[in-house]
Amino acid sequence: MSRPHIALNRFGYGLRLGGHTPSAAPGGASRYLLAQMEAFDPAPALISAREDTSEKAGEILDMLRQLRRMRRNQSSAGGGMMDAANEAPRPSNAEMMNALPPELRASYRSAGQTLRHDAGLKAKIAAASPTPMMERLVHFWANHFSVSAGKPGTHYQVANHEFAAIRPHVLGNFADMLRAAVLHPAMLLYLDQFRSVGPNSEFEQRRARRRGSDGRPSRGLNENLAREIMELHTLGVDGGYSQTDVTEFAGALTGWTIQGLRQARRFSVPRAGGAAFVERAHEPGTRRVLGRSYSQTGPDQAEAILSDLATHPATARFVSEKLARHFAGDVPPPTLIRALEADFLRTGGDLASLTRTLVAAPEVWEESPVKFRAPFEWLVAVLRLTGRDDQEERRIARWLREIGQMPWSAPSPAGFDDLQGSWAGPDALLRRVELAERMARGAPSDGILDHAEMAFPGALSDHTRTWLSRAESGSQALGLLLVSPEMMRR
């Protein structure tokens, strides 16, 4: 296996139709990768032309509140599912939806369309990019700070999260990316932070005085975001924090919500990225996290804790191990982890320096172990190799769903699994074979064997050459190449 092959397929998404193989000269493959850092565009034209959906999440949440209020009112008036006076059935969700203002109905119904468009757009950007290593890093960091479109309102925000909180910081400082990612509306919605209220906050004290009349329980403190920041984004599950640290951090995070909510519009101070801060919901007082006291007030308190978490030694270790696993196998060499960790600590989390250290590490240029491509990686590589990166976004999203990895749909806040065995099941492989056959029919199919040699320089096996040479047509040869061992692995 050659260095040009590793540069193309382990660091990137493979050769693009009409592209060139990195030079085989000493250092040529490394220079090819490092040059991408200079050429990377965090806001390509496809993103710049995209509709701004940042305000729509608040509309969805306000709409759901109206639905709940309508259900409560109907239940109170009708005594349950049937109205005791005239035995009329309780209105269905569809009937309640039709009673909403037309703009909110349209917003709700377009949420799925927006998600499908944005998922296809994400893949198109990676498939068309002249800097595929950088797109791989965007995908890695977006999965590290995973958000999912499984909750109302998030359909409109998950792409904003990746495009605005991840891409601009992929070569910046980890602390800046951490702050932008976890205080973004998508994360605040996904992990229910917008519902969290300090038990001793002004908002809760006023609510307590009214509670006797309205009978509604306290919203209370929500620890989801605080726990996931510590466990998944910074320190790691063995990072040395306690439940008390989680609770204290959750108190510091109270007040963070999203712009566009009715309550946020009335009482909040807008923050960068579409977030907002409601002082009335913030838990007052000093917080103590990991043995350190934080006396800051308002939004500054959570941001101060985030800054310290970003540079903690446990964070350096946890992040370095994940990055090494992504590029150097399921069980990454300890020497690589230590090199990345030392760079992270020395630079305070400079991600550009961390990337250069990764590229320079001899461990990532070893022939094995070779990781199996996850479905998203495989489809992007297919789009690049076949020149079909001009497909309509929703069609690409449909293909992604078919092969089992729709963006922003990870089953938990931990993101998609980055282990080879998670993606190599027989059913998953069969879906790739079926899609490869369909995609090969309309793609250029002349000189497939020569194209394969360029796409996998120094790595094309005799077995694959034999099968390609025996194909009955160029289209069949291309279909075989798309599901070859070389194409399935990186």
Side-chain angles (χ1 to χ4, degrees):
M1 186 182 296
S2 67
R3 287 175 67 92
H5 170 82
I6 291 173
L8 279 172
N9 295 287
R10 183 174 298 172
F11 280 95
Y13 286 110
L15 183 71
R16 190 181 180 203
L17 185 67
H20 299 285
T21 299
S23 171
S30 296
R31 288 198 301 270
Y32 162 76
L33 296 176
L34 295 176
Q36 294 183 36
M37 297 174 65
E38 299 295 328
F40 174 61
D41 182 3
L46 286 173
I47 292 179
S48 300
R50 175 180 169 271
E51 178 190 4
D52 181 11
T53 60
S54 57
E55 288 293 324
K56 292 187 177 182
E59 294 177 0
I60 287 286
L61 291 172
D62 284 339
M63 179 202 70
L64 292 176
R65 286 195 177 98
Q66 292 185 51
L67 283 174
R68 286 195 294 269
R69 191 178 303 113
M70 291 168 68
R71 290 192 185 102
R72 282 199 306 268
N73 293 340
Q74 181 64 29
S75 179
S76 298
M81 292 298 294
M82 299 291 288
D83 188 305
N86 55 24
E87 297 187 352
R90 182 180 178 181
S92 66
N93 285 346
E95 290 171 328
M96 291 184 181
M97 187 72 66
N98 289 333
L100 292 172
E103 64 273 13
L104 290 184
R105 290 204 308 272
S107 182
Y108 181 84
R109 289 168 177 164
S110 69
Q113 296 175 353
T114 296
L115 180 63
R116 290 189 291 274
H117 173 272
D118 287 341
L121 189 67
K122 171 184 167 75
K124 285 186 72 168
I125 290 168
S129 175
T131 57
M133 180 188 74
M134 298 307 305
E135 298 300 330
R136 279 286 306 284
L137 287 170
V138 168
H139 186 64
F140 169 82
W141 289 115
N143 194 56
H144 179 75
F145 294 105
S146 179
V147 292
S148 177
K151 291 188 177 180
T154 53
H155 290 70
Y156 288 118
Q157 288 288 4
V158 288
N160 295 339
H161 182 264
E162 180 167 325
F163 298 159
I166 303 299
R167 293 186 68 92
H169 300 291
V170 75
L171 291 177
N173 188 273
F174 180 75
D176 294 334
M177 182 188 285
L178 172 67
R179 189 179 302 108
V182 303
L183 298 179
H184 188 276
M187 191 73 75
L188 301 177
L189 286 166
Y190 177 43
L191 296 179
D192 296 318
Q193 177 60 36
F194 74 103
R195 299 179 184 275
S196 188
V197 175
N200 299 297
S201 66
E202 178 185 348
F203 181 88
E204 189 57 33
Q205 295 302 311
R206 291 186 177 186
R207 185 181 177 88
R209 289 193 292 269
R210 299 193 305 266
R211 202 169 297 145
S213 59
D214 64 22
R216 287 183 290 174
S218 168
R219 287 167 61 182
L221 192 67
N222 190 300
E223 298 181 353
N224 290 353
L225 180 59
R227 178 173 290 104
E228 305 305 5
I229 289 174
M230 289 180 162
E231 179 179 330
L232 301 177
H233 304 147
T234 58
L235 306 174
V237 68
D238 298 319
Y241 63 91
S242 67
Q243 174 57 41
T244 299
D245 292 320
V246 172
T247 301
E248 285 287 279
F249 187 21
L253 285 164
T254 51
W256 282 94
T257 184
I258 66 170
Q259 298 176 30
L261 284 177
R262 184 171 53 218
Q263 178 189 359
R265 289 195 294 268
R266 293 176 60 192
F267 301 117
S268 71
V269 176
R271 305 291 293 186
F277 188 80
V278 178
E279 183 71 41
R280 294 184 179 192
H282 181 64
E283 178 70 3
T286 297
R287 309 266 73 80
R288 189 167 180 82
V289 178
L290 296 173
R292 183 169 182 174
S293 295
Y294 295 87
S295 59
Q296 294 88 347
T297 59
D300 296 339
Q301 191 172 64
E303 292 187 328
I305 298 173
L306 286 172
S307 294
D308 286 345
L309 289 175
T311 55
H312 195 282
T315 299
R317 175 74 178 183
F318 180 64
V319 168
S320 297
E321 186 172 355
K322 284 191 70 172
L323 189 64
R325 183 181 300 114
H326 188 71
F327 285 96
D330 289 354
V331 184
T335 52
L336 175 59
I337 297 173
R338 287 195 294 269
L340 294 171
E341 182 182 1
D343 183 277
F344 192 105
L345 291 172
R346 178 179 57 82
T347 66
D350 183 333
L351 298 183
S353 179
L354 195 68
T355 300
R356 288 191 289 268
T357 296
L358 178 72
V359 171
E363 295 89 343
V364 297
W365 297 96
E366 297 292 333
E367 290 192 10
S368 62
V370 179
K371 286 185 77 97
F372 198 81
R373 274 178 167 150
F376 179 85
E377 297 170 343
W378 176 80
L379 182 61
V380 171
V382 167
L383 293 173
R384 291 176 67 86
L385 190 63
T386 60
R388 301 195 68 181
D389 53 51
D390 60 346
Q391 297 295 301
E392 197 266 338
E393 287 84 359
R394 292 190 179 98
R395 174 179 290 183
I396 296 176
R398 186 171 67 249
W399 291 339
L400 287 166
R401 191 177 296 279
E402 283 181 25
I403 60 176
Q405 196 179 19
M406 183 72 166
W408 311 303
S409 63
S412 79
F416 289 111
D417 200 352
D418 199 16
L419 298 176
Q420 175 167 291
S422 302
W423 304 108
D427 290 343
L429 294 180
L430 179 60
R431 289 195 293 270
R432 295 193 196 191
V433 170
E434 293 171 345
L435 180 57
E437 291 177 349
R438 300 202 307 270
M439 294 190 70
R441 292 177 195 144
S445 57
D446 294 333
I448 294 301
L449 186 56
D450 292 338
H451 195 41
E453 297 282 5
M454 290 183 61
F456 307 106
L460 197 67
S461 69
D462 290 339
H463 180 79
T464 298
R465 286 192 188 93
T466 298
W467 278 104
L468 295 182
S469 63
R470 291 177 178 176
E472 297 179 357
S473 65
S475 178
Q476 186 184 69
L478 178 57
L480 291 171
L481 179 60
L482 297 182
V483 292
S484 66
E486 294 83 353
M487 191 69 180
M488 290 291 193
R489 295 175 174 84
R490 55 172 177 86

